Every structure is written in C-alpha cells, then in structure tokens.
Amino acid sequence: SINPMEFNPDFLACMIPEVEWALLLEAADTLHLVEVPKGLTEGYEHNEKFLREMHQVLLEVEVLEGTLKCSESRGLFPISWGIPNMPLSDEE
Amino acid sequence: MAGAGTWAGPWTAGPVGLPGALVCVRTVMDSNHHSNYKLTKTEKKFLRKQIKARHTLLRHEGVETVSYATQSLVVANGGLGNGVGRSQLLPALEKCGLVDSLLMPPNKPYSFVRYKTAEEARKAYVTLNGKEIVGDLGQKIILYLNFVEKAQWKELGLQALPPGLMVVEEIISSEDEKMLLESVNWAEDIDDQNVQKSLKHRRVKHFGYEFHYENNNVDKDKPLPGGLPDIWDSILEKWLKEGFIKHKPDQLTVNQYEPGHGIPAHIDTHSAFEDEIVSLSLGSEIVMDFKHPDGVTVPVMLPRRSLLVMTGESRYLWTHGITPRKFDTVQASKGHKGGIITSDVGDLTLSKRGIRTSFTFRKVRQTPCNCSYPLVCDSQTKQTSPSLPGSAREASQLEREHVHRVYEEIAGHFSSTRHTPWPRVVDFLKALPSGSLVADVGCGNGKYLGINQDLYMIGCDRSRSLADICGERRFQALVGDALAVPLRSGSCDACLSIAVIHHLATAERRVAALRELVRLLRPGGTALIYVWAMEQEYNKKKSKYLRENRVSQGKEQETDSDAAAVPVSLGGQVPDVGDQDAPCCVPAIPDCPGEGGNTSDVTDARLPVHTNRTSFHAQDLLVPWHHKGSPGKDKPVGAAGSAPGAVFHRYYHVFREGELEAACQTLSGVHLLQSYYDQGNWCVVLQKV
C-alpha cells in the first residue's frame, strides 16, 4: 500500500546518502515498483523529481503482507499488517 | 540586604527579589522596628526556613503557595505525619479567627486550614508564623505558614473492606477482658512447652500447635500438650453458636504489642491454616493495614474487645500488618468504632496506642491448600514457582514465561497505561540531528517513536501485540529480540533501550543486550539506556513508583518504572491518567526477617513476589500485574483472550547503583557519556568510539 506522508526534503537529504542502492532496487523490483531512481546523480538534493520519487519509495510505500528473505541464512520472515516478524528461534 | 529605602507597598517584592511574604511580615514588624529596615539574624533565619518549607512543599508535594492573602493556608510542620494532632493544632488556629475547615492528610508533615475570611487567614499568617507549639509527645514544633489558593486534598475513592473481612465489636465484656488478660502467664518458664519467645517486636505464646517463624508454618505432627486453655471453651462455643465463626479452632497464638511494636505485612501461610482466621483485640485498639497485591492499602480500626474475622480474599490474598509506631491515625468523628479509617482529611486525628494483646485462633490444615489464589499459595506454587536461572536455557524459559508471554497477554491494558514519555528521554531524542536513524529496542507501544518528527525511528519489540500497536499508530516496527536485533550493524545513529534490559534473567544476557545496541550504532552514535533501580528512594526522595500508592478501585494503574502519572499538583505537569486519586505515603513497615510473615526463605532460590509500590528487597523478583482488560478496544486483549482480573508475574532484575555502569565498562569500543538516576531508574548514555 502507499501511505501518503508529508514531503520533507531536508529529512530526505540526510537519509539518501545512507541508502544501499543495490538492495533498494532489488526490493523495488520485487514489489514491481516503477519510478524508482537507479542511483544518486549529481545535484540530487535539488532535483525535485528525484526527491519525490525517493520520498515515495522510502517513506510511502509499505509492504503490508509479504516475506523477508535472509540472503545468508535463507530464513524467511513473514510480514503481517506491516510488521515483520523476526524473533530469535528456539534453536538460536 | 538592600538598605534604607522605600517599600512601594505591602505586596511588592523586595529589592532582592524576596517573596511577598517577607514584605507582609515586614509590614507588621515595621511598627515595632521604627526606621530600621535591616533584618535581624533571627528574622533572616526564620525567613530562610519559611522559604525552604515553601520550596519543599512545591517540589515534593506539589503544593503551590502564593504570595497574596487568601482564605487558606498551608501549615508546614503542623501535620499528622510529624506528630501534631488535631487537638494541638486546631485551638491555636481558632485563636486567629473562624476556622472553616482543617484538613490533616495522614502521614504528611503539613495541614491545610481555611478561614472564613482572608482577613482572619492573614491574622493567622502573621501571628502563627514561626510560632512554637507542643506536639503529641511533648516535643517543641515550629510552624511555618504560607498562603495557598485553595485548601483541598483530593479525596480518595470510596473504600471498601477487603472481601471476607468482618470486625465484630464489643464481643467480650470488660470483666471478661480483664479476666482473659490476666489468664496469660507471661512469666518465663523453661519447661513451658507453650513456647513463649520474645520476638524483636512483641511477646508471643502458642497453644495447640507451635508456630515456627523460620518457615511460617506449624509442625502438624507435633501438637503441643494441653491444647487450647479451658478458659476459651465456653467463649468459642458461644462464637460458634452465634455464627461469628464457622469452625472450632485448634491453634491459638497470643501476641502482646506495646506501643511502637508491629508486625510486618504478611499472609498467613495457606498450607498451615484453614480459611477462617479470627483475632481478638484486648487491652487497646489498633489500626491494622490490609494490602492488596495491587498496592491498594486499607487501614482498618480494630477497637478494643473486638473480633477480627478474616476469610476468603482477606485471608488468602490480602496481606495484613501493623506498622510499628506509637500513634495511629484514626477517624476523629467515629472515635473508637471499628472499620475502615476514613480518607477524609478533615476528619482525622491521632490516637495514642496502648498495650494490645491479640488472641488469634486458627484451625490447622491437614491437607494441601486448594484455594483460588494460586499465585500466593505455597501449596499450589511449590512445583511451578520459578527460581533464578542457572543457564541460558533456563533464562530463556523464564523470560518466555514471565516476560514475553505476559506482555503478549496484557499488551492492550499495558499500552493504555504507557502514554507519558519520560522528559529526559524526550530531551535525548530532540537533541539528535535531523535525519538520524534511531532504533528503539524494546519499543513497547511506541511511546517514543513519534516524539521527534525529524528522526527516522524503527521500533523493535519481542511482543507481537505491542509491535502491532505501534503499527496501528503508523510507526515503523518489527518483532525482534533484543539479543539479536534484525538490523544491520553500524546502521543506527542512535539507539534507545528504555526499561528493557531489566527483563533479562542473567548478567551475561544483560551485557549481551548492551553489546547489541553498540553493534547497531555507527561510530560516534549514542545509546540511551534506562533500567529499573533497586534503590527507589534516592537522595531522600521517593520515586513516583513509591509515592503513588493510590487507594483506588478500578482505576488505571502504572505499576512499574514507566509510571509517569503525576501526583496532585497545582503547578506541575498535567496529570496524565486523569484519575483524581491523591498520593499518600505508605507507612514504612520495616523488614523483620523470621518474625512471622511471608518473607521468602533465604536458602530458597525461588524468586520472591514483589508487592507493588513498596521498596525492593531483592534484585531478582516477580512483579505482579493485575490485568484489567483494555477499555474501549475492539480487539480481544491477549492472544488467549485472558480475562480481566488475572494476575501476571513479570520477571525483573532491578539494578543496584553502579551496576549498569559496570556492565557498560565491560564493553569495548564505547565511552560512557552520562550516568544518572531518573525517577527510580539508573540511566546511562553510551557512545560508540
């Protein structure tokens, strides 16, 4: 689902450098999202379109039901009502 | 002191910003001191004390004084709590004018008086300020008066006697009382098998079966010869016939209490005695305190020659005890009638204790107890009662049973009592740079997730139900374990761990949780950690947890370190919970090990069950939570839809001073930035190097 959130470019400007692009793109792909920037471009801080697209993918898009897959352990963690369930299992 | 000069008028502040009160005093004294405007040493000293009283009242009691004259005054140092009775204070006040009402809150070192007119109040202010009166034990007491807007004390909710409790008055005639008291032979007798011991606080004698204070039980295989003294046969028959008791007792304990003696709060061991326990008070009346595991305390007057009957809940669930003191706070209007002492502070006074001898009759149980209060029943908890874990596996199990499962069940109710953010946590969050990524490990109902809109906060909690509540509030949250937080190392600018680590059952696990927080932080990132302190009284101030012993029924309660409901305050924070109960101090009942009572065996590794809103006596314990069901929520309250009224025990390890710091010092790659005590919690701020 897409939940509208207040657009705050300054806040985004702090978050964007931290983004792991490969993972973001992979997730976006799984969700069949379009309009997702492929990476940082020069002067991104002032690029309104870029910022708005990032705003949407980072803050507004929300997975309500789904699964998170751990690339290392192959563990599957369900997401329900937007909350991922990732407790320690009994064996750990 | 500012020199000669003009005083602009009676109510303006003095040149050095002295409160208006000073000016008031000066105005009166002026006439006696002609043109000398310098204060004498005594005047200065008095003034300091008056100001100090005013500050103490505001800071500790929420009593706000004003510098202009009103009808009402607070009389500092003139209260039931510091040995000033109504009969000492009222006459002194009445000399100054018509007293509308005198409110003397129990156990407080101050009172409120309201006069008919402000003029009379002003007269009292001037006349009585710094005046010496004589207290209940003949001691000299100096009163300090200040004006208040209103003389009021929030009334406590209507109290009821604990269920199953009855006080039968005048059950013994005066002649019989004399005879029965004389029948007790207190003389030391080495051969006397009725084992009369002199306990630290009182004299005791047993008949029928000896009561052992080491384990709070009787030896059922070794009855004492002679049984109950013959003198009681006809009396017990009479009580049976008249229906005051239902069973013939076979055990008698005689206790003699001198003024100043008491007995710690306890429940009579379930497995030792049957339901009905009756106690006859001769020689003097007494006030006995009954306390519900919830923290609700009901003071009950037991008049002379009355019979106290405890059955059901009052026998099995409520503790009873007598505070060691020389005076009881009693109801002025009711005199010596039995029953609950009013909470109406306009009707309280002190009553000096005399020597009281109690005769407690009980019937020894021959089978294990099967009452409906298993959590406080020694028969029923013997197998299942948890003890301190010896391994990670045991620790994990303890946490699962007494932390995770409990929070799952109580989530809704718990969340409704957790709405006030701690100010210093808010400060920490607000000081973080905009755009910071913050992990709240153990976020509960998301109390802190929305505090600072400029942060990106992710909550992590072990409880699915609580994480759901965060989701409902549109916060980002996930279900995860504090020992293995599913977030990338070095990804967080800051972390919170508020009231979480004290739920981990071994020192290793607690340190591991700290290590996790450090792992999450990027270099230079900071973590704020709060844990419940063992020391609930610090720098002579009681924490909110201790102060708020609300005698309420059916109201919301915040029963642990997160409690932030504010006591009655005229100028402080807005009370959050919205209930009107006033705080009242629980009279301290000192811990007297081995003297009757439910203190757990020292050799037993079983975790003790804590009584809410009292000081901690152990570091590892179970704290009761009384489930009330979540008001106004549609979803069923717990995964299993647990019924309101159920009691849950949450495991806690409360930290001693320095313990959290020491744990942090075992971590590598961190600086300890701050370490402080905040309302019953030990707190640290760590920074990753």
Side-chain angles (χ1 to χ4, degrees), chain B residues 239-303:
Chain B
W239 290 354
L240 264 170
K241 213 165 74 163
E242 292 181 0
F244 296 129
I245 61 173
K246 288 195 179 61
H247 309 283
K248 191 125 190 263
D250 55 14
Q251 199 271 341
L252 164 65
T253 298
V254 187
N255 277 293
Q256 191 177 73
Y257 299 81
E258 294 189 20
H261 283 176
I263 183 170
H266 64 282
I267 303 173
D268 284 25
T269 308
H270 288 208
S271 63
F273 305 111
E274 298 274 1
D275 190 352
E276 200 173 60
I277 294 179
V278 300
S279 193
L280 178 69
S281 300
L282 299 182
S284 170
E285 65 191 23
I286 198 94
V287 171
M288 185 174 278
D289 294 308
F290 284 82
K291 203 182 299 186
H292 189 274
D294 235 345
V296 174
T297 300
V298 179
V300 179
M301 159 65 83
L302 306 179

Side-chain angles (χ1 to χ4, degrees), chain A:
Chain A
S1 91
I2 302 205
N3 305 313
M5 285 198 68
E6 201 183 306
F7 181 61
N8 184 341
D10 297 321
F11 178 78
L12 277 176
C14 297
M15 305 283 329
I16 284 168
E18 307 298 321
V19 171
E20 284 237 2
W21 287 97
L23 292 175
L24 177 66
L25 291 175
E26 194 185 323
D29 203 44
T30 322
L31 297 173
H32 306 295
L33 296 177
V34 288
E35 294 175 353
V36 177
K38 301 290 183 253
L40 282 180
T41 52
E42 188 76 31
Y44 72 86
E45 305 96 317
H46 310 293
N47 187 334
E48 174 104 10
K49 180 167 180 282
F50 173 86
L51 289 173
R52 288 213 175 256
E53 285 174 353
M54 288 307 283
H55 173 79
Q56 184 173 94
V57 71
L58 286 179
L59 300 175
E60 291 187 336
V61 174
E62 188 170 348
V63 176
L64 289 180
E65 298 294 318
T67 313
L68 284 170
K69 193 164 85 175
C70 177
S71 46
E72 278 186 33
S73 72
R74 308 295 180 94
L76 292 171
F77 300 99
I79 302 171
S80 157
W81 288 100
I83 310 273
N85 200 50
M86 312 168 84
L88 269 179
S89 68
D90 285 342
E91 299 88 56
E92 290 176 290

Side-chain angles (χ1 to χ4, degrees), chain B residues 276-434:
Chain B
E276 200 173 60
I277 294 179
V278 300
S279 193
L280 178 69
S281 300
L282 299 182
S284 170
E285 65 191 23
I286 198 94
V287 171
M288 185 174 278
D289 294 308
F290 284 82
K291 203 182 299 186
H292 189 274
D294 235 345
V296 174
T297 300
V298 179
V300 179
M301 159 65 83
L302 306 179
R304 208 170 144 174
R305 298 187 293 277
S306 71
L307 184 72
L308 169 70
V309 180
M310 290 187 290
T311 60
E313 208 180 288
S314 67
R315 180 261 178 277
Y316 284 118
L317 185 64
W318 293 66
T319 64
H320 56 274
I322 292 173
T323 310
R325 54 188 181 207
K326 297 205 164 102
F327 284 83
D328 286 316
T329 301
V330 301
Q331 198 158 334
S333 60
K334 259 168 77 172
H336 303 281
K337 275 185 73 63
I340 299 178
I341 314 276
T342 182
S343 51
D344 171 10
V345 300
D347 188 19
L348 291 177
T349 186
L350 293 176
S351 166
K352 195 163 179 198
R353 284 190 186 172
I355 298 178
R356 168 181 171 261
T357 308
S358 76
F359 298 82
T360 302
F361 296 91
R362 301 179 275 206
K363 185 165 191 319
V364 171
R365 275 196 85 96
Q366 302 299 341
T367 55
C369 181
N370 61 349
C371 66
S372 347
Y373 311 93
L375 284 172
V376 287
C377 179
D378 64 305
S379 293
Q380 296 177 64
T381 59
K382 234 186 273 257
Q383 265 67 57
T384 61
S385 140
S387 51
L388 207 56
S391 67
R393 172 172 285 277
E394 282 174 12
S396 177
Q397 192 151 341
L398 175 64
E399 289 157 18
R400 198 192 349 251
E401 270 301 303
H402 290 284
V403 180
H404 306 154
R405 191 178 75 91
V406 176
Y407 279 112
E408 271 302 290
E409 298 284 332
I410 70 178
H413 179 210
F414 177 80
S415 175
S416 65
T417 64
R418 295 294 181 273
H419 33 61
T420 311
W422 286 88
R424 291 186 78 166
V425 180
V426 171
D427 290 342
F428 175 86
L429 288 171
K430 289 216 158 121
L432 293 171
S434 178

